[in-house]
């Protein structure tokens, strides 16, 4: 006797062979077809920068490594639900990775690097989402006024902006991480956005 | 060197048949091969050492512990890798699940660490690309390698391998020999086999058993030397009662008394073994 | 999306990686990185770290996703490895689980058809776990028994884990059948099988410290049916074995048998000298 399966058998077109020159979307299609070598290519392509960026969120390299492991396992298990957007999967993978790190940090002993040290990194993207001319504003090196506006925010406001806007966490996740009630996260987020709009107006 | 395993006066009988009849032996680090015909008592001895069978009488010391006590058995099992003679599996488990289950029974409670260990042993036996295959779809050789992989989980100090080369093709047997001899560098490996080549190739010590007793205990070279002067090559078929076979070049190789027209030949481990076992079976 | 022609200059990336970059530079680098494949490639990869990281992922990917029962058990606070062992057990005796469902179906039907038909249900329920335990452990039943017998969990720990899994499955299936009983069956009577089921299970395991497990299961399962029908025939009151007085007796028996099982648990080890 076999256990009942609620999944219907899936017939998928056989994905093309993958190579280091395949783009992320082709690799994801191959991962959805349970091709381990495609996952490895994705891992080798994205793990180094993910690690660098996650290490700026959490000083414990073991927790970062665990988060990266969880991320690619989640990619493997969820590849069928992936829908290609944009040029590559980097933003999608980052969202998964930072969520994984956030949930690891929720466990005892986890250490989210305080906003004071890192909130500044949030500024560029925060501004990017608030502004309409996203791409030009993103390059904060050339557009210092946004950076300045964000830098003038209080550390508490920047922490909220960092967790929600830059790292893409939900209000609930941010509230757990920062140890403040969800309502406070929401009000701080609104205040931060309003202040940025004023400064950039 | 202090022995890892000491056996004194070991007895085990099934009904009226004594399978082990007061066995005394000790094993230390390195690879020891047990050689003997079916029913020689090899499996019974190995099962007693692997703590899956209680002997009727005798004293055992395994890794300094006494398997007759519950705490002693648990202590042995924590440091033991055991490949049974007829290892069974759950056909609906995948290769990975099979090893994961044994790893849990070996008290590896941390999931990440356990999965890493499972991956390691899969690579050791060359089954890494079969992790997600159901056991029922494996060939006999792959099952045998899976059985070996579970024995290697958690880096045991004592490996008890009951006929590890059964079902393996020649290339896999070579790989197994390489693996076992590497394991034997730092720990105690006891293996039983029917294959004299395995013994000659990888055991530094060989024990020949028959009828629950030890007929020979020494090096493979020593076992070959048992047949010194008792092996010959001749052009004519020897008379009845002699143990002989026809070789590839059409000559007759005889073990035992040299026929009149034959010339002495270099004895092998197999010659020594056949001579020993043949003698007891004549006497029986 | 374009990023224009701007790319992170090498010196800037270095300072980002070693943490010495000023805040505005850091935010620019991160904002740019996620959109520019070329600059992501420029982040240096530590070959040894990358290989180790991949090995760990490969191990997880090879592992199947835990089944629902295992996740539920884990969610309920059961440690992951124990959840694994528990969830794998009823699958070892799927035929038993199916037979339990069928038998319960018949018992429920009997309860509807005959006046005292619910007695069949109450008599049957305590037999189910003992049959399941006999089918989930042992040299003749379990093809991997010899392998497992040489692990530290051999004997009592493994048998008790599997018995727990079987007992919980049997109790859950029986509990699911309870609402299907005729409305006339009083609520107290509908649950009168629970303590007897715990009694037969603990009795079966306690007896298995002396005789082989299948024999113990037959003795307890058969013994229970014989006692219930015997008492009914002798006293003329077939509900007597399920009355509150009898239930107190079962409760005491469970406590006593569990104690016996605990004291004699080493005898469940296949290599315990006799």
């Amino acid at each position: 006797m076999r256990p009942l399966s609620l999944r219907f058998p899936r017939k998928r077109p056989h994905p093309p062979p993958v190579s280091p020159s395949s783009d992320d979307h082709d690799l994801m299609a191959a991962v959805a077809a349970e091709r381990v070598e495609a996952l490895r290519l994705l891992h080798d392509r994205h793990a180094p920068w993910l690690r660098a960026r996650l290490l700026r969120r959490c000083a414990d390299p073991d927790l970062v490594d665990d988060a990266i492991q969880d991320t690619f396992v989640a990619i493997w298990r969820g590849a069928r639900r992936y829908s290609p957007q944009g040029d590559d999967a980097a933003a999608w993978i980052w969202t998964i990775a930072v969520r994984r790190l956030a949930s690891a940090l929720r466990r005892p002993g986890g250490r989210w690097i305080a906003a004071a040290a890192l909130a500044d990194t949030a500024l560029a993207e925060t501004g990017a989402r608030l502004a309409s001319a996203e791409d030009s504003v993103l390059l904060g090196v050339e557009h210092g006024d946004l950076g300045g506006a964000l830098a003038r925010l209080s550390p508490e406001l920047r922490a909220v902006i960092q967790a929600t806007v830059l790292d893409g966490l939900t209000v609930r996740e941010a509230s757990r991480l920062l140890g403040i009630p969800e309502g406070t996260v929401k009000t701080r987020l609104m205040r931060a956005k309003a202040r940025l709009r004023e400064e950039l107006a | 060197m202090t022995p890892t395993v000491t056996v004194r006066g070991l007895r085990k009988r099934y009904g009226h048949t004594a399978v082990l009849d007061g066995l005394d032996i000790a094993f230390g680090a390195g690879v020891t091969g047990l050689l003997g015909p079916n029913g020689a008592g090899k499996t019974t001895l190995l099962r007693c050492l692997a703590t899956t069978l209680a002997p009727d009488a005798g004293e055992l010391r395994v890794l300094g512990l006494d398997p007759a006590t519950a705490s002693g058995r648990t202590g042995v099992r924590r440091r033991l890798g055991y490949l049974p003679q007829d290892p069974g599996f759950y056909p609906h488990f995948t290769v990975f699940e099979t090893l994961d289950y044994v790893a849990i029974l070996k008290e590896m409670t941390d999931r990440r660490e356990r999965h890493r260990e499972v991956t390691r042993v899969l690579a050791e036996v060359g089954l890494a690309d079969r992790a997600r295959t159901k056991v029922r779809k494996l060939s006999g050789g792959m099952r045998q390698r899976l059985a070996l992989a579970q024995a290697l989980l958690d880096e045991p100090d004592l490996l008890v391998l009951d006929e590890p080369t059964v079902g393996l093709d020649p290339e896999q047997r070579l790989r197994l020999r390489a693996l076992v001899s590497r394991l034997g560098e730092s720990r105690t490996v006891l293996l039983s086999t029917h294959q004299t080549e395995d013994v000659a190739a990888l055991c530094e010590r060989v024990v020949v058993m028959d009828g629950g007793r030890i007929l020979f205990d020494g090096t493979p070279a020593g076992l070959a030397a048992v047949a010194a002067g008792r092996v010959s090559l001749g052009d004519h078929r020897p008379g009845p009662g002699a143990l002989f076979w026809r070789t590839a070049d059409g000559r007759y190789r005889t073990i035992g008394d040299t026929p009149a027209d034959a010339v002495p030949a270099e004895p092998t481990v197999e010659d020594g073994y056949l001579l020993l076992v043949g003698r007891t079976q004549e006497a029986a | 999306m374009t990023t224009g022609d701007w790319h992170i200059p090498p010196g800037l990336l270095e300072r980002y990686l070693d943490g010495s970059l000023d805040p505005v530079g850091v935010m620019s680098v991160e904002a740019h990185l996620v959109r520019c494949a070329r600059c992501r490639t420029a982040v240096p990869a530590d070959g040894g770290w990358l290989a180790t990281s991949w090995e760990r992922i490969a191990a997880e990917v090879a592992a199947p996703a835990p089944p629902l029962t295992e996740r539920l058990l884990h969610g309920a606070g059961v440690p992951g490895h124990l959840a694994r062992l528990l969830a794998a057990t009823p699958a070892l005796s799927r035929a038993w689980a199916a037979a339990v469902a069928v038998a319960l179906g018949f018992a429920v039907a009997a309860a509807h058809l005959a006046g005292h038909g619910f007695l069949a249900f109450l008599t049957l329920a305590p037999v189910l776990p003992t049959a399941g335990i006999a089918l989930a452990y042992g040299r003749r039943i379990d093809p991997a028994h010899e392998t497992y017998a040489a692990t530290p969990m051999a004997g009592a720990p493994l048998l008790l884990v599997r018995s727990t899994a079987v007992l919980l499955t049997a109790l859950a299936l029986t509990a699911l059948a309870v609402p299907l009983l005729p409305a006339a069956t009083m609520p107290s009577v509908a649950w009168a099988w629970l303590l007897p089921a715990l009694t037969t299970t603990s009795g079966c395991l306690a007896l298995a410290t002396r005789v082989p497990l299948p024999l113990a299961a037959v003795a307890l399962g058969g013994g229970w049916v014989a006692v219930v029908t015997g008492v009914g025939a002798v006293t003329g009151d077939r509900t007597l074995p399920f009355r509150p007085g009898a239930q107190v007796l079962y409760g005491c028996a469970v406590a006593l048998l569990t104690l016996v099982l605990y004291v004699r648990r080493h005898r469940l080890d296949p290599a315990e000298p006799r």
Side-chain angles (χ1 to χ4, degrees), chain A residues 1 3 36 39-40 43-44 48-49 51-53 56-57 65-66 69 73 76-77 87-88 90-91 120-121 123-125 135 138 140-141 147, chain C residues 1-2 6 16-17 19 23-24 26-28 30-32 34-35 40 43-46 49-50 53-54 56-57 60-61 63-65 94 98:
Chain A
M1 230 188 316
V36 179
L39 185 70
R40 178 162 202 173
H43 169 264
D44 291 357
W49 73 268
R51 183 192 187 204
R53 196 169 167 190
R56 301 199 63 86
R57 301 288 180 286
D65 288 357
D66 286 353
Q69 183 187 357
V73 172
W76 174 258
R77 301 214 168 120
D87 291 335
D88 54 50
D120 304 304
T121 61
L123 309 187
E125 272 184 304
D135 279 343
L138 275 173
V141 170
Chain C
M1 223 180 289
T2 71
W6 188 82
Y16 169 71
L17 293 173
V24 177
V26 166
M27 63 197 179
S28 303
E30 289 204 341
H32 179 77
V34 80
R35 287 175 170 76
R40 285 199 300 271
V43 175
D46 170 350
W49 176 84
L50 203 61
S53 171
W54 171 250
R56 296 176 42 169
I57 293 160
E60 282 310 299
V61 160
R94 276 185 205 146

Side-chain angles (χ1 to χ4, degrees), chain C:
Chain C
M1 223 180 289
T2 71
T3 52
D5 287 335
W6 188 82
H7 290 291
I8 303 170
L12 188 67
L13 184 62
E14 248 169 54
R15 281 187 290 139
Y16 169 71
L17 293 173
D18 68 23
S20 65
L21 190 58
D22 65 282
V24 177
V26 166
M27 63 197 179
S28 303
V29 167
E30 289 204 341
H32 179 77
L33 263 186
V34 80
R35 287 175 170 76
C36 179
R38 186 173 132 182
C39 290
R40 285 199 300 271
T41 319
V43 175
D46 170 350
W49 176 84
L50 203 61
T52 313
S53 171
W54 171 250
E55 271 168 35
R56 296 176 42 169
I57 293 160
E60 282 310 299
V61 160
L68 182 65
T69 22
E70 197 180 318
R71 291 202 302 271
L72 287 176
L73 284 167
H74 193 47
V78 179
H81 62 286
L82 270 184
R84 188 99 248 267
L85 292 184
L86 285 170
T89 303
L92 299 180
S93 47
R94 276 185 205 146
W96 164 78
V100 165
V102 171
L104 285 169
F106 277 115
V108 168
H112 283 276
L113 294 175
H116 271 65
F118 70 94
L119 285 172
F121 184 88
L122 296 182
T123 308
L124 174 74
V127 178
L128 301 175
T130 61
I133 289 167
L135 289 172
Y137 183 88
R139 194 172 296 285
R140 287 190 187 80
I141 299 290
D142 185 348
H145 186 85
E146 177 73 5
T147 305
Y148 300 162
T151 65
M153 289 270 287
L158 182 57
L159 174 56
L160 294 181
V161 163
R162 291 194 171 177
S163 302
T164 307
V166 163
L167 181 64
L168 291 177
T169 310
L171 295 184
L173 287 172
T174 313
L176 283 176
V178 164
L180 305 175
L181 288 172
T185 317
M186 290 191 312
S188 59
V189 176
W191 293 94
W193 50 269
L194 187 58
L195 278 172
L198 295 176
T199 310
T200 54
T201 305
S202 52
C204 171
L205 292 170
L207 187 59
T209 61
R210 181 164 287 276
V211 305
L213 179 63
L215 199 62
V218 169
L220 263 294
W224 161 254
V225 174
V227 165
V228 168
T229 45
V231 167
V234 170
T235 63
D237 180 1
R238 291 165 66 198
T239 60
L240 191 61
F242 303 103
R243 294 270 174 81
Q247 297 289 349
V248 172
L249 221 57
Y250 299 135
C252 297
V254 171
L256 185 69
L257 290 167
T258 308
L259 185 68
V260 169
L261 176 61
Y262 177 78
V263 170
R264 294 177 55 86
R265 65 192 184 282
H266 300 310
R267 313 286 308 177
L268 294 169
D269 192 316
E272 173 77 15
R274 300 272 157 184

Side-chain angles (χ1 to χ4, degrees), chain A residues 13 26 42 55 68 72 103 112 125 158 164 173 177 182 184:
Chain A
D26 286 348
L42 273 178
L55 279 171
I68 289 177
F72 285 93
S103 68
W112 187 263
E125 272 184 304
R158 271 187 275 158
T164 56
E173 285 166 329
L177 271 176
E182 285 181 40
T184 313

